[in-house]
Amino acid sequence: MIKVLEDAIAKVKKLPEDRQAYAAEVLEQLVADADAGVFDIPDEHMAGEGLEQARRGVLASDSEVDAVLRKPRR
């Protein structure tokens, strides 16, 4: 197992049970669809504010995206 996946699983183990169940569901979907190379996002997961903003055309400017991409990663 790669280190980044080990780290992510360690973080998930610290989450409340309902969040762990959600993470497990997402992983199961990724594994189930691995042969198809496609991950279908369920409609109930598409209700996030960011997606709604994108539908309305409220997007980050190029300079805002550049600023985020230039931030050092931890």
Side-chain angles (χ1 to χ4, degrees):
M1 181 181 309
I2 63 172
K3 178 78 169 121
V4 69
L5 182 56
E6 288 177 354
D7 292 346
I9 289 173
K11 290 176 185 177
V12 169
K13 287 180 177 181
K14 296 177 184 176
L15 294 174
E17 190 173 309
D18 63 325
R19 299 291 303 266
Q20 289 184 28
Y22 176 74
E25 179 184 334
V26 170
L27 286 173
E28 287 292 338
Q29 290 176 10
L30 286 170
V31 172
D33 294 337
D35 291 335
V38 175
F39 175 67
D40 291 321
I41 301 172
D43 289 340
E44 62 268 18
H45 298 188
M46 296 292 287
E49 177 61 23
L51 293 171
E52 181 55 36
Q53 288 174 336
R55 285 187 193 102
R56 293 192 319 257
V58 179
L59 305 172
S61 68
D62 288 344
S63 61
E64 290 170 322
V65 172
D66 286 341
V68 170
L69 294 176
R70 287 193 180 109
K71 283 186 178 180
R73 297 186 80 189
R74 295 184 209 185

